[in-house]
Amino acid sequence: MLQFSFSDKTGRLTESALRAEAAKYAPLLEAVKAQSGLDPMSTGWMEIGRWAGEDTLSNLEALARKIQGDSDAFAVIGVGGSNNAARSMVEALKKEGFPEIVWTGNTLSAHAMEKTLAALRTKDFSIDCIAKNFETLEPGAAFRVLRRLMREKYGETFASRVIATGTIGSSLEALCRKEGYTFLPFPTDIGGRYTALSNVGLLPAAVAGLDIRKVVKGARKMREALYTLPPEENPALLYAAARHLLYSMGYRVEMLCSFEPQLQWFFKWWVQLFAESEGKKDTGLFPAASLYSEELHAVGQFVQEGSPILFETLLDVQDPDGSVPLTPDGAEDGFSYLDGKDYRDLNRAAFAATRTAHSGRLPVVTFTIPRIGEEAFGELFTFFQYACVLSSGMLGVDPFDQPGVEAYKGWMFKALGKT
Ligand code: PA5
């Protein structure tokens, strides 16, 4: 289970200040747990069994087996919340022997689409178009182009390779019924970025060979912990309180960092969750992410000596996969101090050194997780979703809408002649 701690040698974030802030917001934790004051059309993810219960899991596993049997690739069409959770799990945990997951419908670049088409042309593939409203341009355009490729490749039988995940009653469902595509419900009471534990996040993971039951197990475990731990030990409340305190002290950027590149797509999910949920009404911390140790040779300089606008959140993996001994080869390379050590030792040393160096300059929050696996992803999604709702509540913003996103869309639709 994830553990929360922090280190701040500057003395700004203190144990007593954090406890006081958490105590102040203990009623908010109770309100969130009771779903009080939250839009019921956005809280479907809080009851895990509703969109990730036994029927859903069995259906997804059967569908995944069919796709694994007839496809070398599975094109997932979706943008933002419609692909980030699945991508973070699949890119971290994908295995040999399962269809390659191709992420598309997340850009308007012709170059990127040409590359996707070229890659799919030579493979047997299926697609899943994931779109809550089926108005967003990126998935809509990609779906059209890929349907055309499929028709050229498979003739009129191509419909058996098409899945679409949309809301019941939507134009996407109507299209599926008319054209004979498989239709999966997109939760009506969950917004994109909170849909990890539903058809949206779980089908691509199941196709890639991941154990989606473990994802759900991790989510349930985390939910149980967040609902039973007292406020002073509740990691979601403590983390949200720390973010809020630091925001009120003038910090404007939170940088999530890890020493495991496996987590790089999870970072994208986390950035979207907090940016789209909190960044409104001229408030919110800007969520950034960095992969260490590589970025220690770049943004590490800014962290240590640049504008004091950011604090750091480290995601530490206690027992990561992999072991590579640095056995000496007899050459005098100047690295004899590595003899007898493993890459794992180097990464641990880099982690400890970074925390010591950075916490001398800025507050450093640390989350420790035992290992990276399906269960951990279920825990992480659930943990950060609750923390984000709490943190948004402290800022006084609605964590579930994204009115600012509509502004550019309006101008774009106008430019393209959409009526
Ligand atoms: O979190 C959200 O609600 C958004 O990021 C959406 O997921 C994203 O805009 C895609 O929307 P749609 O699934 O309607 O195409």
Side-chain angles (χ1 to χ4, degrees), residues 284-297:
L285 285 161
F286 181 80
S290 273
L291 269 183
Y292 289 164
S293 64
E294 184 175 4
E295 288 294 335
L296 289 173
H297 302 267

PDB file of all heavy atoms in Angstrom, residues 284-297:
ATOM      1  N   GLY A 284      -5.003  27.004  -8.873  1.00  0.00           N
ATOM      2  CA  GLY A 284      -4.459  25.657  -9.134  1.00  0.00           C
ATOM      3  C   GLY A 284      -2.947  25.638  -9.274  1.00  0.00           C
ATOM      4  O   GLY A 284      -2.334  26.598  -9.728  1.00  0.00           O
ATOM      5  N   LEU A 285      -2.381  24.501  -8.867  1.00  0.00           N
ATOM      6  CA  LEU A 285      -0.945  24.264  -9.050  1.00  0.00           C
ATOM      7  C   LEU A 285      -0.743  23.735 -10.463  1.00  0.00           C
ATOM      8  O   LEU A 285      -1.505  22.874 -10.917  1.00  0.00           O
ATOM      9  CB  LEU A 285      -0.480  23.189  -8.064  1.00  0.00           C
ATOM     10  CG  LEU A 285      -0.328  23.596  -6.613  1.00  0.00           C
ATOM     11  CD1 LEU A 285      -0.326  22.354  -5.714  1.00  0.00           C
ATOM     12  CD2 LEU A 285       0.956  24.400  -6.415  1.00  0.00           C
ATOM     13  N   PHE A 286       0.278  24.199 -11.154  1.00  0.00           N
ATOM     14  CA  PHE A 286       0.570  23.645 -12.476  1.00  0.00           C
ATOM     15  C   PHE A 286       1.250  22.292 -12.278  1.00  0.00           C
ATOM     16  O   PHE A 286       2.289  22.207 -11.630  1.00  0.00           O
ATOM     17  CB  PHE A 286       1.480  24.592 -13.277  1.00  0.00           C
ATOM     18  CG  PHE A 286       1.776  24.065 -14.654  1.00  0.00           C
ATOM     19  CD1 PHE A 286       0.847  24.220 -15.672  1.00  0.00           C
ATOM     20  CD2 PHE A 286       2.958  23.388 -14.928  1.00  0.00           C
ATOM     21  CE1 PHE A 286       1.091  23.710 -16.940  1.00  0.00           C
ATOM     22  CE2 PHE A 286       3.215  22.870 -16.193  1.00  0.00           C
ATOM     23  CZ  PHE A 286       2.280  23.032 -17.206  1.00  0.00           C
ATOM     24  N   PRO A 287       0.663  21.206 -12.806  1.00  0.00           N
ATOM     25  CA  PRO A 287       1.285  19.891 -12.612  1.00  0.00           C
ATOM     26  C   PRO A 287       2.321  19.608 -13.708  1.00  0.00           C
ATOM     27  O   PRO A 287       2.004  19.640 -14.892  1.00  0.00           O
ATOM     28  CB  PRO A 287       0.096  18.923 -12.719  1.00  0.00           C
ATOM     29  CG  PRO A 287      -0.926  19.647 -13.548  1.00  0.00           C
ATOM     30  CD  PRO A 287      -0.641  21.116 -13.493  1.00  0.00           C
ATOM     31  N   ALA A 288       3.540  19.343 -13.283  1.00  0.00           N
ATOM     32  CA  ALA A 288       4.609  18.997 -14.231  1.00  0.00           C
ATOM     33  C   ALA A 288       5.169  17.642 -13.815  1.00  0.00           C
ATOM     34  O   ALA A 288       4.883  17.159 -12.717  1.00  0.00           O
ATOM     35  CB  ALA A 288       5.691  20.063 -14.185  1.00  0.00           C
ATOM     36  N   ALA A 289       5.939  17.029 -14.682  1.00  0.00           N
ATOM     37  CA  ALA A 289       6.495  15.716 -14.336  1.00  0.00           C
ATOM     38  C   ALA A 289       7.885  15.576 -14.923  1.00  0.00           C
ATOM     39  O   ALA A 289       8.178  16.120 -15.990  1.00  0.00           O
ATOM     40  CB  ALA A 289       5.583  14.608 -14.873  1.00  0.00           C
ATOM     41  N   SER A 290       8.742  14.845 -14.230  1.00  0.00           N
ATOM     42  CA  SER A 290      10.111  14.620 -14.704  1.00  0.00           C
ATOM     43  C   SER A 290      10.553  13.216 -14.376  1.00  0.00           C
ATOM     44  O   SER A 290      10.303  12.718 -13.277  1.00  0.00           O
ATOM     45  CB  SER A 290      11.079  15.575 -13.999  1.00  0.00           C
ATOM     46  OG  SER A 290      11.164  16.776 -14.682  1.00  0.00           O
ATOM     47  N   LEU A 291      11.253  12.621 -15.320  1.00  0.00           N
ATOM     48  CA  LEU A 291      11.832  11.297 -15.085  1.00  0.00           C
ATOM     49  C   LEU A 291      13.281  11.458 -14.689  1.00  0.00           C
ATOM     50  O   LEU A 291      14.097  11.930 -15.485  1.00  0.00           O
ATOM     51  CB  LEU A 291      11.761  10.468 -16.369  1.00  0.00           C
ATOM     52  CG  LEU A 291      10.539   9.605 -16.572  1.00  0.00           C
ATOM     53  CD1 LEU A 291      10.682   8.819 -17.843  1.00  0.00           C
ATOM     54  CD2 LEU A 291      10.302   8.663 -15.386  1.00  0.00           C
ATOM     55  N   TYR A 292      13.574  11.075 -13.483  1.00  0.00           N
ATOM     56  CA  TYR A 292      14.950  11.106 -12.983  1.00  0.00           C
ATOM     57  C   TYR A 292      15.557   9.724 -13.192  1.00  0.00           C
ATOM     58  O   TYR A 292      14.803   8.759 -13.321  1.00  0.00           O
ATOM     59  CB  TYR A 292      14.950  11.449 -11.490  1.00  0.00           C
ATOM     60  CG  TYR A 292      14.574  12.880 -11.160  1.00  0.00           C
ATOM     61  CD1 TYR A 292      14.215  13.229  -9.854  1.00  0.00           C
ATOM     62  CD2 TYR A 292      14.585  13.868 -12.129  1.00  0.00           C
ATOM     63  CE1 TYR A 292      13.895  14.543  -9.525  1.00  0.00           C
ATOM     64  CE2 TYR A 292      14.251  15.191 -11.793  1.00  0.00           C
ATOM     65  CZ  TYR A 292      13.910  15.515 -10.507  1.00  0.00           C
ATOM     66  OH  TYR A 292      13.593  16.814 -10.182  1.00  0.00           O
ATOM     67  N   SER A 293      16.838   9.504 -13.321  1.00  0.00           N
ATOM     68  CA  SER A 293      17.856  10.491 -13.122  1.00  0.00           C
ATOM     69  C   SER A 293      18.138  11.333 -14.357  1.00  0.00           C
ATOM     70  O   SER A 293      18.815  12.365 -14.270  1.00  0.00           O
ATOM     71  CB  SER A 293      19.155   9.803 -12.679  1.00  0.00           C
ATOM     72  OG  SER A 293      19.626   8.958 -13.722  1.00  0.00           O
ATOM     73  N   GLU A 294      17.581  10.972 -15.526  1.00  0.00           N
ATOM     74  CA  GLU A 294      17.882  11.715 -16.747  1.00  0.00           C
ATOM     75  C   GLU A 294      17.653  13.212 -16.554  1.00  0.00           C
ATOM     76  O   GLU A 294      18.517  14.028 -16.873  1.00  0.00           O
ATOM     77  CB  GLU A 294      17.030  11.183 -17.908  1.00  0.00           C
ATOM     78  CG  GLU A 294      17.373  11.852 -19.233  1.00  0.00           C
ATOM     79  CD  GLU A 294      16.625  11.253 -20.414  1.00  0.00           C
ATOM     80  OE1 GLU A 294      15.777  10.368 -20.214  1.00  0.00           O
ATOM     81  OE2 GLU A 294      16.901  11.692 -21.546  1.00  0.00           O
ATOM     82  N   GLU A 295      16.488  13.566 -16.012  1.00  0.00           N
ATOM     83  CA  GLU A 295      16.145  14.997 -15.912  1.00  0.00           C
ATOM     84  C   GLU A 295      16.940  15.730 -14.822  1.00  0.00           C
ATOM     85  O   GLU A 295      16.890  16.955 -14.748  1.00  0.00           O
ATOM     86  CB  GLU A 295      14.641  15.167 -15.682  1.00  0.00           C
ATOM     87  CG  GLU A 295      13.795  14.850 -16.900  1.00  0.00           C
ATOM     88  CD  GLU A 295      13.998  15.825 -18.061  1.00  0.00           C
ATOM     89  OE1 GLU A 295      14.410  16.975 -17.815  1.00  0.00           O
ATOM     90  OE2 GLU A 295      13.768  15.424 -19.208  1.00  0.00           O
ATOM     91  N   LEU A 296      17.643  14.965 -13.979  1.00  0.00           N
ATOM     92  CA  LEU A 296      18.510  15.652 -13.009  1.00  0.00           C
ATOM     93  C   LEU A 296      19.593  16.418 -13.753  1.00  0.00           C
ATOM     94  O   LEU A 296      20.163  17.383 -13.246  1.00  0.00           O
ATOM     95  CB  LEU A 296      19.149  14.639 -12.053  1.00  0.00           C
ATOM     96  CG  LEU A 296      18.189  14.000 -11.049  1.00  0.00           C
ATOM     97  CD1 LEU A 296      18.888  12.890 -10.283  1.00  0.00           C
ATOM     98  CD2 LEU A 296      17.648  15.043 -10.074  1.00  0.00           C
ATOM     99  N   HIS A 297      19.858  15.973 -14.986  1.00  0.00           N
ATOM    100  CA  HIS A 297      20.882  16.630 -15.819  1.00  0.00           C
ATOM    101  C   HIS A 297      20.271  17.752 -16.647  1.00  0.00           C
ATOM    102  O   HIS A 297      20.901  18.239 -17.590  1.00  0.00           O
ATOM    103  CB  HIS A 297      21.552  15.590 -16.725  1.00  0.00           C
ATOM    104  CG  HIS A 297      22.179  14.475 -15.942  1.00  0.00           C
ATOM    105  ND1 HIS A 297      23.502  14.482 -15.543  1.00  0.00           N
ATOM    106  CD2 HIS A 297      21.646  13.336 -15.434  1.00  0.00           C
ATOM    107  CE1 HIS A 297      23.752  13.385 -14.841  1.00  0.00           C
ATOM    108  NE2 HIS A 297      22.641  12.677 -14.754  1.00  0.00           N
TER     109      HIS A 297
END
